[in-house]
Amino acid sequence: MSLCGFLVVLRLVPVAARYLLRRGMWGKDINKRGLPMGEIRVPEALGIVVGIVYLVIAILFQHFNFTADSMWLVEYNAALASVCFMILLGFIDDVLDVPWRVKLLLPTIAALPLLMAYAGGTAISIPKPLTSYFGVAVLELGSLYKLFMLLLAVFCTNSINIHAGLNGLEVGQTVIISAAVLIHNVMRIGSSMDIESQQAHAFSIYLVLPFLTTSLALFAFNWYPSSVFVGDTYTYFAGMALAVVGILGHFSETLLLFFLPEVLNFLCSVPQLFKFVPCPRHRLPRFDPHTGLLTGTKDGNLVNIFLRIFGRCTERTLCIRLLIFQALSCLFCFWLRYMITGWYK
Amino acid sequence: MSLCGFLVVLRLVPVAARYLLRRGMWGKDINKRGLPMGEIRVPEALGIVVGIVYLVIAILFQHFNFTADSMWLVEYNAALASVCFMILLGFIDDVLDVPWRVKLLLPTIAALPLLMAYAGGTAISIPKPLTSYFGVAVLELGSLYKLFMLLLAVFCTNSINIHAGLNGLEVGQTVIISAAVLIHNVMRIGSSMDIESQQAHAFSIYLVLPFLTTSLALFAFNWYPSSVFVGDTYTYFAGMALAVVGILGHFSETLLLFFLPEVLNFLCSVPQLFKFVPCPRHRLPRFDPHTGLLTGTKDGNLVNIFLRIFGRCTERTLCIRLLIFQALSCLFCFWLRYMITGWYK
């Protein structure tokens, strides 16, 4: 099924690209300004194709994976509604270019179906070293937990959205994260004895597998030099899909560790995002058309920080470096989980 | 809640209209060609506002209307996913203008969540006069019933979409139908003793009430002379919302009777839709800028047939006539149900 998704996306992207171009939804590649390549009209918002194919696959999945009276179905359908709503709002954003403060609101709205339907536990287990401070081993959060879910969804969508700007970076990072999520789920199913927890991880696999394959197909088009841009549609969709997977699979802490580069990028960006320091429209490095190299600017995002630390390089090299960093973060996360299991929780 | 929806839509439509205009999503009013009014750029696809407000209200509704372990929640969330998916596809259609054969496919895709999650009965009770022919009183359809649901969804969305072309007609007809659905539900809850059937009708009310109020707000903008167009987004959204309401409320036959004018319009259009007779892009009447009257053309749709039967008139009068016909059809449907109850089923 997921393999079909891969092939369908490969087929549909060029078709959709033609329609988007005709409708005037394109942008020029700013990181290639000054080259002939920088004058090509690159169609935008191709995330819409991935989103729709993903939804169709995930919907059909239900038929094979659940019995008709499974209580998981509520959450599954709520998850689909959330992801679908997010794609809709992301696409509206791409088409209409809504202002920044509305952008922050969009994931909040889209996460509503999930929050309303979430019926799982709202308690968190306190890490063992801290138990003595809290006095209890399990803390019941109630509505606060739903607030946490909401914040997680808003964070995931926006953090992917601002860790972007290079050919292939948006899709590359989500592919790596979702692969890590998949591996994590498989490992947990193998090691866990608890049937409830196994179900949660299986559930999470159903949602993340088609996401991984459809994104891979988009990656083929979005890799340097990009023949399509993914648009806010994709970054929102990806963030929401991963947040949903983490929440319903009950491993949101681990998910946040997978998001380490995005967290760092967000922290570096805080001064600019909250307007302590002036922030340009795009925080991209300077491109030199003669050498084809990028130079880091003073903007506080990971793209420019990497350029400042590791020196000037081409867009392709920079993207590879950032993706390696992403992969290392995920490995670090696995190692951390391995080390602290038993001691921490 | 639904009242809030009405007010929110009233507020948001002008804002969204500005954004849509800026993005170049507008059309000129063909039925006013030759007048100064016909040169105004009217923003299109305003159905998107109604759709999103409706979804948000319907999602929040869950919290008040259902207990956490209700089996209705699966269908409710699936219904939301279907409606949301339909809005997404409708908006994509408005933005990208997909070809006709793809248009027919869109409602099929959007109806998938509903089909997958539908857990209600798949049996129909045979009308009493026909029982002797079938030999059984209740016929189990199984998968055929799901096919019927799918066809109903495809029919509802497309029939509203082709019974259009006048200021206020699209929204007007759906407002009347949804009001009829609401009345029908209230009456059935009052008269029914069966708790299961009462729940189904209550469920249907939860979904149709916010639809009615949000559509009414849009109606205020779309009435002659229209300051906004609703776009395929709205017609698809409305059709899917009504189909979902009918299916999950278990009164799809009655719903089809409410759709009588659309059924007639569809039947008259069959020769042109299937290309037996050539079909222009828009099957609109001829407008005379001097008298301000419309003259019917030979096209086989209800708009032109009404003009041929009742003579030339203004766009406003024509729309009122068609809406009265819609209301009469709904009344006829109530009368028919009243007459045949007991004898028929």
Side-chain angles (χ1 to χ4, degrees):
Chain A
M1 281 287 276
S2 300
L3 205 68
C4 291
F6 179 75
L7 299 173
V8 170
V9 170
L10 275 187
R11 278 292 302 276
L12 279 185
V13 164
V15 179
R18 272 207 307 280
Y19 276 96
L20 286 161
L21 272 181
R22 212 182 57 190
R23 196 61 186 78
M25 293 185 64
W26 49 268
K28 289 181 182 172
D29 204 327
I30 305 182
N31 280 333
K32 300 188 188 62
R33 193 178 284 162
L35 293 185
M37 238 193 240
E39 293 303 310
I40 298 173
R41 294 176 173 191
V42 183
E44 220 161 344
L46 258 296
I48 194 75
V49 177
V50 181
I52 290 175
V53 174
Y54 170 78
L55 278 178
V56 171
I57 295 176
I59 292 164
L60 295 178
F61 244 43
Q62 281 182 74
H63 192 62
F64 305 103
N65 293 327
F66 299 104
T67 50
D69 54 351
S70 166
M71 267 317 283
W72 285 102
L73 274 178
V74 179
E75 295 193 346
Y76 196 81
N77 276 295
L80 290 181
S82 271
V83 172
C84 181
F85 209 176
M86 193 72 260
I87 298 174
L88 172 62
L89 294 175
F91 190 64
I92 292 176
D93 183 21
D94 271 335
V95 174
L96 301 184
D97 219 352
V98 302
W100 261 100
R101 58 207 157 81
V102 180
K103 273 189 202 220
L104 274 177
L105 200 70
L106 297 183
T108 317
I109 299 177
L112 281 178
L114 189 65
L115 295 186
M116 287 298 152
Y118 183 74
T122 54
I124 51 167
S125 45
I126 304 291
K128 278 183 192 160
L130 299 177
T131 314
S132 51
Y133 295 100
F134 284 93
V136 285
V138 173
L139 191 65
E140 179 58 53
L141 286 178
S143 312
L144 269 183
Y145 191 80
K146 294 214 168 181
L147 185 66
F148 165 70
M149 281 165 56
L150 180 63
L151 288 178
L152 185 71
V154 173
F155 172 77
C156 285
T157 46
N158 283 298
S159 68
I160 292 184
N161 200 18
I162 60 176
H163 187 40
L166 297 181
N167 286 181
L169 181 58
E170 294 95 330
V171 190
Q173 61 180 316
T174 54
V175 165
I176 292 176
I177 295 176
S178 56
V181 167
L182 191 64
I183 296 169
H184 173 68
N185 280 325
V186 173
M187 279 166 55
R188 293 284 290 175
I189 289 188
S191 71
S192 169
M193 292 299 133
D194 179 17
I195 188 87
E196 178 98 8
S197 152
Q198 279 188 350
Q199 276 184 345
H201 285 289
F203 183 89
S204 168
I205 288 180
Y206 301 148
L207 283 172
V208 85
L209 192 59
F211 176 69
L212 179 60
T213 55
T214 49
S215 293
L216 264 178
L218 184 62
F219 194 45
F221 292 96
N222 189 237
W223 184 240
Y224 181 91
S226 296
S227 59
V228 303
F229 290 150
V230 295
D232 287 352
T233 315
Y234 182 77
T235 53
Y236 281 154
F237 156 61
M240 184 56 85
L242 289 172
V244 161
V245 163
I247 290 171
L248 296 183
H250 304 303
F251 55 93
S252 34
E253 288 162 327
T254 313
L255 186 71
L256 273 180
L257 281 178
F258 287 141
F259 268 77
L260 193 61
E262 285 77 16
V263 174
L264 286 177
N265 184 49
F266 172 71
L267 291 178
C268 301
S269 307
V270 162
Q272 288 194 315
L273 287 182
F274 294 101
K275 299 283 167 68
F276 302 137
V277 181
C279 178
R281 177 86 178 80
H282 295 284
R283 299 181 302 166
L284 290 175
R286 254 196 314 278
F287 177 67
D288 182 350
H290 299 296
T291 57
L293 298 181
L294 295 169
T295 318
T297 62
K298 284 226 170 65
D299 291 318
N301 57 354
L302 226 52
V303 170
N304 284 305
I305 290 173
F306 260 63
L307 279 173
R308 290 212 293 276
I309 297 177
F310 299 106
R312 302 164 60 190
C313 63
T314 62
E315 186 176 359
R316 186 193 164 90
T317 319
L318 178 59
C319 185
I320 293 177
R321 281 183 193 162
L322 283 166
L323 290 182
I324 289 177
F325 179 57
Q326 177 80 56
L328 287 178
S329 307
C330 291
L331 283 180
F332 169 72
C333 169
F334 280 119
W335 174 79
L336 198 69
R337 273 199 71 94
Y338 176 73
M339 291 303 287
I340 63 179
T341 302
W343 173 77
Y344 181 69
K345 266 193 182 172
Chain B
M1 281 289 274
S2 300
L3 205 68
C4 291
F6 179 75
L7 299 173
V8 170
V9 171
L10 275 187
R11 278 292 302 276
L12 279 185
V13 164
V15 179
R18 272 207 307 280
Y19 275 96
L20 286 161
L21 272 181
R22 211 181 58 189
R23 196 62 187 75
M25 292 185 64
W26 48 269
K28 289 182 181 170
D29 204 327
I30 305 182
N31 281 333
K32 300 188 188 61
R33 192 179 284 161
L35 293 185
M37 238 193 243
E39 293 303 310
I40 298 173
R41 294 176 172 191
V42 183
E44 219 161 345
L46 258 296
I48 194 75
V49 177
V50 181
I52 290 175
V53 174
Y54 170 78
L55 279 178
V56 171
I57 295 176
I59 291 164
L60 295 178
F61 244 44
Q62 282 183 73
H63 193 61
F64 305 103
N65 293 328
F66 298 104
T67 50
D69 54 351
S70 167
M71 268 317 283
W72 285 103
L73 274 178
V74 179
E75 295 194 346
Y76 196 81
N77 276 295
L80 291 181
S82 270
V83 172
C84 181
F85 209 176
M86 193 72 259
I87 298 174
L88 172 62
L89 294 175
F91 190 63
I92 292 177
D93 183 20
D94 272 334
V95 174
L96 300 184
D97 219 352
V98 302
W100 261 100
R101 60 207 155 81
V102 179
K103 273 189 202 221
L104 274 178
L105 200 70
L106 297 183
T108 317
I109 299 177
L112 281 178
L114 189 65
L115 295 185
M116 287 298 152
Y118 183 74
T122 54
I124 51 167
S125 44
I126 304 292
K128 278 182 191 160
L130 299 178
T131 314
S132 51
Y133 295 100
F134 285 93
V136 285
V138 173
L139 191 65
E140 179 58 53
L141 286 178
S143 313
L144 269 182
Y145 191 80
K146 294 214 167 179
L147 185 66
F148 165 71
M149 281 164 55
L150 180 64
L151 288 178
L152 186 71
V154 173
F155 172 77
C156 285
T157 46
N158 283 298
S159 68
I160 292 183
N161 200 17
I162 60 176
H163 187 39
L166 298 180
N167 286 181
L169 181 58
E170 294 94 330
V171 189
Q173 61 180 316
T174 54
V175 165
I176 292 176
I177 294 175
S178 56
V181 167
L182 191 63
I183 296 169
H184 173 69
N185 280 326
V186 173
M187 279 166 55
R188 294 284 291 175
I189 289 188
S191 70
S192 169
M193 292 299 133
D194 179 17
I195 188 87
E196 177 99 8
S197 152
Q198 279 188 349
Q199 275 184 344
H201 285 289
F203 183 88
S204 167
I205 288 180
Y206 302 148
L207 283 171
V208 84
L209 192 58
F211 176 69
L212 179 60
T213 55
T214 48
S215 292
L216 264 177
L218 184 62
F219 194 45
F221 292 96
N222 189 237
W223 184 240
Y224 181 90
S226 297
S227 59
V228 303
F229 290 149
V230 295
D232 287 352
T233 316
Y234 182 77
T235 53
Y236 282 154
F237 156 61
M240 184 57 85
L242 289 172
V244 160
V245 163
I247 291 171
L248 296 183
H250 304 303
F251 55 93
S252 34
E253 288 162 328
T254 313
L255 186 71
L256 273 180
L257 282 178
F258 287 142
F259 269 76
L260 192 61
E262 285 77 16
V263 174
L264 285 177
N265 183 50
F266 172 71
L267 291 178
C268 301
S269 307
V270 162
Q272 288 193 315
L273 287 182
F274 294 101
K275 299 283 167 67
F276 301 137
V277 181
C279 178
R281 177 86 177 79
H282 294 284
R283 299 180 303 165
L284 289 175
R286 254 196 314 280
F287 177 68
D288 181 350
H290 299 297
T291 57
L293 298 181
L294 295 169
T295 317
T297 62
K298 284 227 171 63
D299 291 317
N301 57 354
L302 226 51
V303 170
N304 284 306
I305 290 173
F306 259 63
L307 279 172
R308 290 212 293 276
I309 297 178
F310 298 106
R312 303 164 59 190
C313 63
T314 62
E315 187 176 359
R316 186 194 164 89
T317 319
L318 178 60
C319 185
I320 293 177
R321 280 183 194 162
L322 283 166
L323 290 183
I324 289 176
F325 179 57
Q326 177 80 56
L328 287 179
S329 308
C330 291
L331 283 180
F332 169 73
C333 169
F334 279 119
W335 175 80
L336 198 69
R337 275 199 71 94
Y338 176 73
M339 291 302 287
I340 63 179
T341 303
W343 173 78
Y344 181 69
K345 267 193 182 172

